[in-house]
Amino acid sequence: MNILIIHHYPGLGGATLSCYDVARALIETGHHTVVSVPAGENEARRMADKLNIEAVDGAPPVIQFTYHNGSSGIVRCVLKYLKMQRYIAKWEKLIDEISPDIVLLNSSVQWPMIKLLKRKGIKSILFVRETMRKNQLGLINRYIRKKLSQADGVTFLTKYDLEQWDLPTYVKQYVIPDSVNKDNYDMTRTKEESRKKLGLDIEKFYVLYVGGINSIKGAGEIVSAVEWLEEPFVETVILGDLAENLRQCSFLKSLIQYREAKYVKKVYRQIEMINKTESRIQLKGLQRKMDDWLNACDVVVFPVGKVHQARPLYEAGLFQKPVILPDYENFRDNAENMKNVLYYKKRDEKDLALKIQYLFHNKKTAEKLGHANRMMAEEKHLSSEVNKQIVRLINEIYQG
């Protein structure tokens, strides 16, 4: 079978990693698989080259409708969508050249591509990796639901997402969890060895946050929680994009991205105040390899400002780490309070601080939660098993 995977994100996010895991699984089962990634030099393309996965040269931007819980507002979404209409003819030409038997759309925002594929008589499977925005009965979500239903198959990361979208029963729909590939992580070192390699204190209790300085990921919430913490041996490490471009942006850019620029500058002021007398928050930025950071920490915190998929939960599970999450219903498929995670009251940084303190003072409980989280990750999220489900699904859709 000739398979095309369309991937639109240029960075190294969870969707990128999952995309290449699926591509490798398809190649290993004998399918000719090519991935369309953003043109130019970017992390997604470099990763394809590193893994020896065939990537499309010069692919046009993917036609998208970026309305989900982690996106900007509807006006910007519609303007972006309309602007991308000029690439339809280029996509028609590219698809004719590749002539795929089936196309995998690696994000729900790519649903505008379904119409083009149907016109070409090509089957499609849409991977819904994003969380629904606002009210499921809202006009925009009802419109998106109608468009999603036109795919030959639709997959959701959780049962919660499937129920929330509530597609018509005639649609072939599946729950296939997000996955992590153990082969991408080095788990041979001890915690002490990882701390020594990273220059971390052997005796301290480390809280790991991986979302960068970003309002959607909840940087302000973890920083505010640190202000409430009293224990001197607790230190927080922030990984991810540190948004330096917004911290020192031009006046024009600060107007265009006013809210986020204001948020970033506020968080930096908080961090400077907190670190004034002693280092309590370390800013380490983007990381190509997460192994040692996950191994070295004591707990992972995922304090999202807008709820979305909790990939750090599964990655932390591989390293037997407990996770602290806000108590959103969306996480129920994979996170059970006091079993493999601790929930705190959403948007309540004091309660988040109390949960961090609780694990600091109850190391046995932290160990128990971490062990259960590893079992959850290995039972439900290993790519070696998840990819078998995807391969079966592709064969089923193609033959059906």
Side-chain angles (χ1 to χ4, degrees), residues 147-177:
K147 296 300 182 179
L148 299 183
S149 301
Q150 294 173 359
D152 295 284
V154 182
T155 78
F156 300 90
L157 296 181
T158 67
K159 184 180 177 183
Y160 182 93
D161 295 320
L162 180 144
E163 291 172 349
Q164 195 174 33
W165 277 109
D166 191 27
L167 300 185
T169 54
Y170 64 79
V171 179
K172 290 185 178 180
Q173 48 196 304
Y174 313 80
V175 175
I176 299 182

Side-chain angles (χ1 to χ4, degrees), residues 69-326:
N69 211 41
S71 70
S72 54
I74 184 62
V75 174
R76 190 171 179 182
C77 165
V78 171
L79 290 175
K80 182 178 178 181
Y81 168 70
L82 293 174
K83 183 180 178 181
M84 287 181 165
Q85 296 303 301
R86 57 182 170 167
Y87 298 115
I88 290 177
K90 291 183 178 181
W91 271 108
E92 286 190 352
K93 182 180 178 183
L94 180 62
I95 288 168
D96 286 342
E97 289 173 357
I98 297 173
S99 189
D101 297 305
I102 193 166
V103 172
L104 310 186
L105 300 168
N106 198 42
S107 166
S108 64
V109 307
Q110 296 177 14
W111 62 255
M113 300 291 292
I114 298 172
K115 183 178 180 180
L116 168 60
L117 295 170
K118 277 195 168 301
R119 193 161 64 239
K120 296 284 184 182
I122 299 170
K123 292 187 176 181
S124 63
I125 300 175
L126 185 77
F127 289 77
V128 178
R129 300 188 180 280
E130 295 77 20
T131 303
M132 179 187 284
R133 183 178 184 135
K134 297 183 178 178
N135 185 352
Q136 68 184 119
L137 299 177
L139 182 63
I140 299 169
N141 283 331
R142 279 187 285 164
Y143 177 74
I144 294 173
R145 180 187 291 118
K146 182 180 178 181
K147 296 300 182 179
L148 299 183
S149 301
Q150 294 173 359
D152 295 284
V154 182
T155 78
F156 300 90
L157 296 181
T158 67
K159 184 180 177 183
Y160 182 93
D161 295 320
L162 180 144
E163 291 172 349
Q164 195 174 33
W165 277 109
D166 191 27
L167 300 185
T169 54
Y170 64 79
V171 179
K172 290 185 178 180
Q173 48 196 304
Y174 313 80
V175 175
I176 299 182
D178 202 0
S179 66
V180 286
N181 190 335
K182 288 180 76 171
D183 294 339
N184 292 338
Y185 303 87
D186 183 352
M187 292 179 277
T188 61
R189 283 186 282 276
T190 65
K191 178 193 278 190
E192 290 72 23
E193 287 171 338
S194 288
R195 288 193 173 189
K196 185 176 180 181
K197 181 181 175 184
L198 297 170
L200 300 178
D201 193 311
I202 298 297
E203 302 300 325
K204 283 190 174 181
F205 184 91
Y206 282 100
V207 177
L208 183 66
Y209 160 78
V210 299
I213 308 299
N214 182 296
S215 61
I216 292 174
K217 303 289 186 180
E221 202 149 298
I222 182 61
V223 170
S224 295
V226 173
E227 290 184 304
W228 285 97
L229 288 171
E230 299 175 355
E231 282 74 10
F233 290 101
V234 177
E235 191 162 0
T236 298
V237 176
I238 293 179
L239 304 184
D241 185 354
L242 298 180
E244 292 284 356
N245 61 323
L246 289 178
R247 186 186 182 192
Q248 301 171 349
C249 61
S250 66
F251 176 72
L252 180 60
K253 189 167 186 178
S254 68
L255 287 178
I256 296 171
Q257 295 182 268
Y258 174 74
R259 287 187 180 179
E260 192 65 18
K262 182 180 178 182
Y263 179 91
V264 167
K265 290 171 184 176
K266 179 186 175 185
V267 170
Y268 268 103
R269 285 196 299 270
Q270 281 183 281
I271 293 171
E272 287 169 2
M273 288 298 296
I274 290 168
N275 285 343
K276 203 166 188 179
T277 55
E278 62 175 321
S279 175
R280 297 175 64 196
I281 297 177
Q282 292 193 36
L283 298 172
K284 293 297 183 179
L286 290 166
Q287 304 291 318
R288 287 181 179 272
K289 297 285 286 180
M290 290 293 295
D291 322 59
D292 285 300
W293 292 107
L294 288 163
N295 194 34
C297 75
D298 293 285
V299 60
V300 173
V301 174
F302 188 64
V304 286
K306 290 184 178 180
V307 65
H308 52 281
Q309 306 300 332
R311 185 179 178 85
L313 173 64
Y314 325 134
E315 292 180 318
L318 287 184
F319 287 83
Q320 207 159 314
K321 304 297 178 177
V323 177
I324 301 177
L325 294 165

